[in-house]
Amino acid sequence: NSFDITVTISNTLQANGNVVVRFPRGFTLNDGGPTNVTDATLVRYTEEYRTPAVVISTDEGSRIVTVAVGGSSDDFLEAFNLVKFTLTNIRNMVARPRAGQNFETSGIFVVSTQLASGAFVENLTVPGVQISPNIIEAFPVGDGDVIPSSFVDGADVDILVTYSSDSVLPDDGIIATEFPRGFRFNVTGTAAVAVLFDGVPDPSFLVSLASTPGGTLVRALRLNGTAVAPNVKVSITISDARMPATVGGSGEYNISTLTSDGATIASGVIPETDVGRPSQPLNIGVTNCRSEWPEPSLRCLIVTFDPPANDGGSPVTRYQVDIDKTSNAFEDLVASPQITVGPGVELRVQSIELREGVDHFVRVRAANVKGGTQGFGRPGYGPSVRVVSLPGPPRAATLRSDTTNRLFASWLAPQFTGALNPAATILSFRVEFSRNGGAFDNFNANDTVVVAGNQRALVSGLLQPGTYFARVSAANDAGYGQPSVYPTTALATPIVPVSWDAVTPAEGQLLQLRVGYTTTVTIRAVDEDITDEVTIVVDPDRGMPNQATLGEQVLYGVNGGFNNVASRELSMTPHSGQVGLQFDVCFIARNANLEPLGANVDAVRCLVLQVMRPDLTWTPLGLTDQPTPEANTEFVTYAGCSVEIPLAANAVWYGVRFGYVASLVEFNGTETVTGAIPGANIEVPNPYSPPVAGVSAVSGGPTENNFSHSALFRYQPPVSMAGRRQKVCLTASDEFGLASIQRCVTVITGSCKACIQEGQTLAALAAEYGTDWLQVWATNPRMGNPNSRRHAGQLVNVGVLYHATGGETVEQLALQFFLTPQRLLEANPDFVARSGGEAVAATRALLPDQQLCVIPPVCAVECPGGGSCVTREPSKNRGFVA
C-alpha cells in the first residue's frame, strides 16, 4: 500500500528538517521493496510547490520512517503551512474484525517534526484507520472460480480453483477453500494438491482436509516460501475428487487467504456449479451486425460460439445468449435469444436492435435434459462490444491526376463516426473510381482502393486512360457508410513530366564562385507537351543566398508549343564575407498541365554554390625561371646600383597584388618598420618572366583559373641610404585582401662604393660625396685613364671602409685621417641618422667591427720633406683641387 501523509505546522520548522512517522503494530515497512517517498510538496497558504524529500532511515522493528523534507536551511515553514508526501511499500496490518463487524481499527499513528540536528519540535497523534479483509471477486469480474474437469454428476474429477486479490499472501500464509456438501475427496487414496502462482509452482506446502458444517474445507499451508505479491493469479489443482451425485446447483464455494494464526487476509464467495449440466460454450465471438450503405444501420450484435467441451453427461439441447447493457453481472438484460439444437443449426445469434454507443456484455449458456428436467450449465463470456451505427460520409477534398495513369485523392474524416462521446473508431476508408459517370459500377481490379482508418489520402493503382469520377466512404465495426462524391473529375493519362534542358547544370553540380566576380548560369526547363506552360521558381524551403539574383522568366515555345519552355538567369557576385561558404539552391520547374492533362507535375534541380577561398603559393623553380628568392636571402648593393628581386606567385581563382613591407635593422639587431624605401618600386609583370599556367598547392595538379603571376622588385638606393641594412618582406595577396603570403629577404646598401650613372663623370660623382675627381680616381688604382667614358652601373670606390676596434669616436677618427668631424659624418649619413643627429654621432663610441666610410683628402694633404703632414687649403671650386 501507499500512505498519503499531510503535516500541518503548528509553530515553525526549518525547511531542511524531518518528518518522522511511526506506524501502529501490524504494519510492515519495506514491503516488496524499500519504503520510499514520492510526490512531496510544501504548501504555503494557496501556493504549493515540489520539494526533493527523501527517506533517510527506516526502522522495521519500531515501524518508524524518517523523511527529510529537502528544503533550504535558511527557509522556514510557518504556522498552518503544510508538508505533504506519499510513502510507498508499506503493508497494512491484517484485520481481525470482532463479531458482527467487517473491519478492525488499527492503533494510532504518531507523526513528529524534527530539526535537521535530530531535535524534535512537535509530536502529533493520528487516530487509527479501519482495516477490512480484501474481497476475492468471482469470475467474470475477478479471477475467483472453481472449475471441475467434468460436470457429470458423480464423476471422478480434478478440480481447479483460481483467485487473485489486492493483498499480500505471506510466506507462511494459508489458502482455504470450502467446498459445499456433496463433494468428496480422497476417493481412491489421498488427494494431491498443486499450487501455482502466475504459473510458477509453490515449492512447499502442507494440505489438510476437514469437515465443516457447510461441507469440506481444503487448506494449503505454505511452508518457508516467499510472500506472494498482490494481483498474482493463484491456481490450486485438487485431484482424486468426486462430483456431487445430485443434478443441479452444488451450492456456493467459500475461498479465503489466512495468516498462519488464522486471521483473514482476503475472502470471497464463488457461485455454485451446475452439476450434471454442460460446461461453458467455447470461442465466443461478438461483433456488430454489418451492413453497407444504402442499407440502414442495423445497430445489433452477432454472437457466435462453439459447443462446450463437456455436456454434463447428456446431449446439449438448447443455448441461451444473454445480452446486458450495464455490466457482466447480467442484472440489466436487454435480450436473451435462444437456439434449439438440431441438424444444420448454426451456432449464431443476431440480437434485436440495441442502443447506439453503449457497451454490451454477452454470455452464452448451454442446456441439457437430465431426469426429465432441462437445465443450463456454466456460462461462457464473450468480449464486451460497443454497438455503433454506420459512419457518415467523409468530406471529399482533392481529386487530381498523379503520375502516369494514376489519380490522387484526399479527404477529411466524417463528422459522425457511428457513435458519440466518445467517437467510434474508423477502421478503413474506401475510394472508388468510375469512368461510367456517377453510376460507380462495373469496377476493374484497380478501380477500388482501401486504406487504413488513420490515412487521409491515397494514390490509385494503374487505371485505364480516361476521365474518372470518384467517391470515398468510411467503415467502422458496423460496415461502410454513405460515400462522399468528389465534385470534380480527374484525368488518368500518361502525363508528360516537365524536364530540365541540357543547358541547366546537372543535379548537385558544384558552381565555384569568386568574391567580386559575377557568375551567371542559365536555368531552363522544357515540357514536351506543347499545350503546357512551364514556370521556374526558387524552392522556398531553401531560398537564395545574399548577392544572388534570379532574372525574369523568359517563356517561348518549341516543337509547335507557345510557352512550353521557361528560362531564367541565375547570377551571383559574392562579397568578402561569403568567402569559404557553400549554399544549396534548388529550383522547381512546374508545368501547368493545361487541358486536358489536369494536375501539376514538378521537377526539382538543386545546385551547390561555393565561394572559393584564395589559394596563394610562391611559384617554385621549375614552373618559372624567375622564382621568388628563398626567405632570408641577402642582397648587397651600393648607392646608384640597381638590385632586382623577382616575384612569382601562384593564385587559384583570384588575381595577385604584389607589395612589400620594409624594416630598418638597427646596430643591435632590432627592427623598425619604415614603410616605403626611397628608390624602390615594383614592376608588374616581371619583364623577364611572362605568366604561365600554374599548379594548385592544394590538389597538386593543374587547376582551372590557376596562374603564376610575376613582378620585379627593383631598388636603386640614393647616397643617403648608404650603410643601411633593411629587411624587405615581399608580399602577394589577392585583389580583395582575403589572403596573403610573404617572404622576407635582407637588402644591404654598402658604404664607400657607388655605381656610375648613365653620362655621369668622375667629377659629378665626386661632387655627390663632397670630394674631387682626383680623390675618386686615386681610390680606384685600376681605373686607368680618368677621361675614359664610363659605362652605366660601373662600381667604383669613393673612399675606404674603416673597421672600428671599438671605443674610438668620430672626432678621433677625423683627426687621424686629416678630416673634420663634419666631413666624416657627411660620408656616413646612415650612422648620423641612426645615432640621432650629428651632435650625438660626433661623440658616440663606435662598436667593435662597426664600419665607417672614410674619404681621406689625399690631394689636400702634403708632407714637406717627409716630415709631418699638413692639410692644404682646399679649392673653392667644389670637385677640384686647389
Side-chain angles (χ1 to χ4, degrees), residues 180-223:
R181 291 183 179 275
F183 281 91
R184 293 181 60 194
F185 298 92
N186 299 331
V187 174
T188 61
T190 301
V193 177
V195 181
L196 303 176
F197 301 107
D198 275 346
V200 179
D202 192 337
S204 178
F205 54 89
L206 180 65
V207 177
S208 63
L209 282 76
S211 296
T212 66
T216 302
L217 180 65
V218 180
R219 290 164 48 100
L221 170 63
R222 306 188 67 224
L223 301 174

Side-chain angles (χ1 to χ4, degrees), residues 64-78:
I64 296 175
V65 181
T66 303
V67 176
V69 176
S72 173
S73 60
D74 56 2
D75 184 16
F76 286 83
L77 299 174
E78 301 175 352

Side-chain angles (χ1 to χ4, degrees), residues 241-602:
R242 180 169 293 170
M243 292 290 287
T246 303
V247 175
S250 66
E252 295 177 333
Y253 307 85
N254 294 304
I255 187 169
S256 60
T257 60
L258 312 169
T259 63
S260 59
D261 60 358
T264 300
I265 300 172
S267 64
V269 177
I270 299 175
E272 64 183 3
T273 299
D274 293 306
V275 179
R277 301 303 181 187
S279 60
Q280 71 272 18
L282 304 175
N283 302 322
I284 299 172
V286 184
T287 60
N288 271 271
C289 297
R290 293 186 66 85
S291 61
E292 184 165 337
W293 183 88
E295 297 175 2
S297 298
L298 298 179
R299 286 186 288 277
C300 63
L301 295 177
I302 298 293
V303 182
T304 61
F305 50 91
D306 292 332
N310 185 281
D311 61 7
S314 180
V316 174
T317 58
R318 184 179 298 275
Y319 293 95
Q320 178 170 306
V321 178
D322 295 326
I323 302 175
D324 189 284
K325 67 179 181 181
T326 303
S327 72
N328 53 16
F330 292 91
E331 297 173 347
D332 194 5
L333 298 177
V334 294
S336 295
Q338 293 190 358
I339 298 175
T340 300
V341 176
V345 174
E346 184 180 6
L347 300 185
R348 180 180 184 276
V349 168
Q350 179 172 324
S351 74
I352 62 173
E353 183 171 344
L354 302 173
R355 185 177 175 184
E356 173 190 289
V358 174
D359 286 320
H360 287 76
F361 301 84
V362 174
R363 72 181 180 188
V364 182
R365 295 181 293 168
N368 65 3
V369 176
K370 254 195 175 182
T373 302
Q374 177 174 274
F376 286 98
R378 177 183 173 87
Y381 297 89
S384 63
V385 173
R386 190 180 187 208
V387 174
V388 296
S389 300
L390 291 175
R395 289 163 285 175
T398 301
L399 178 67
R400 61 169 172 79
S401 299
D402 195 71
T403 55
T404 301
N405 287 352
R406 285 179 169 85
L407 299 180
F408 171 86
S410 67
W411 59 88
L412 301 175
Q415 292 181 327
F416 177 65
T417 61
L420 301 175
N421 299 324
T425 300
I426 298 298
L427 301 177
S428 62
F429 289 97
R430 180 177 66 193
V431 180
E432 299 166 299
F433 301 97
S434 173
R435 289 188 298 165
N436 190 21
F440 292 97
D441 55 9
N442 193 26
F443 291 116
N444 291 322
N446 287 344
D447 292 347
T448 300
V449 182
V450 176
V451 296
N454 58 352
Q455 292 189 219
R456 297 293 180 268
L458 60 79
V459 175
S460 73
L462 285 171
L463 301 172
Q464 295 294 323
T467 299
Y468 281 81
F469 296 81
R471 67 183 185 182
V472 57
S473 53
N476 60 15
D477 283 329
Y480 279 98
Q482 181 179 354
S484 174
V485 179
Y486 286 86
T488 60
T489 60
L491 182 65
T493 181
I495 296 175
V496 180
V498 65
S499 61
W500 296 103
D501 186 79
V503 72
T504 305
E507 173 67 21
Q509 182 171 334
L510 177 67
L511 301 180
Q512 296 170 313
L513 285 64
R514 293 184 288 169
V515 171
Y517 293 85
T518 300
T519 299
T520 302
V521 294
T522 300
I523 310 297
R524 184 184 299 160
V526 62
D527 193 327
E528 297 301 330
D529 182 350
I530 62 174
T531 67
D532 269 358
E533 180 175 312
V534 179
T535 301
I536 298 175
V537 297
V538 176
D539 185 344
D541 293 336
R542 300 291 182 89
M544 294 269 285
N546 291 336
Q547 305 298 110
T549 60
L550 191 63
E552 292 293 327
Q553 178 167 280
V554 178
L555 290 175
Y556 58 93
V558 295
N559 302 329
F562 293 96
N563 295 311
N564 61 330
V565 178
S567 181
R568 302 186 78 170
E569 299 292 325
L570 169 65
S571 297
M572 183 171 178
T573 308
H575 57 66
S576 59
Q578 293 174 312
V579 68
L581 298 182
Q582 183 171 293
F583 306 95
D584 293 334
V585 181
C586 294
F587 303 95
I588 299 174
R590 177 171 297 152
N591 58 3
N593 270 331
L594 302 178
E595 294 195 15
L597 293 182
N600 294 335
V601 177
D602 296 343

Side-chain angles (χ1 to χ4, degrees), residues 1 26 31 91-97 102-104 131-136 163-176 220-222 227-231 255-268:
N1 281 340
D31 182 53
R91 189 194 306 177
N92 283 352
M93 60 176 280
V94 176
R96 293 173 170 80
N102 60 1
F103 64 86
E104 179 185 357
I131 306 295
S132 300
N134 281 297
I135 302 299
I136 296 176
Y163 80 94
S164 65
S165 76
D166 294 333
S167 58
V168 174
L169 178 62
D171 54 3
D172 58 352
I174 299 170
I175 305 170
L221 170 63
R222 306 188 67 224
V228 179
N231 302 313
I255 187 169
S256 60
T257 60
L258 312 169
T259 63
S260 59
D261 60 358
T264 300
I265 300 172
S267 64

Side-chain angles (χ1 to χ4, degrees), residues 837-878:
E838 290 186 0
V840 176
T843 59
R844 178 176 179 177
L846 299 182
L847 299 174
D849 206 35
Q850 188 171 351
Q851 298 178 355
L852 289 183
C853 181
V854 177
I855 307 177
V858 175
C859 298
V861 175
E862 58 183 2
C863 303
S868 298
C869 298
V870 295
T871 303
R872 182 187 301 129
E873 281 294 319
S875 170
K876 298 184 183 225
N877 296 318
R878 191 172 179 83

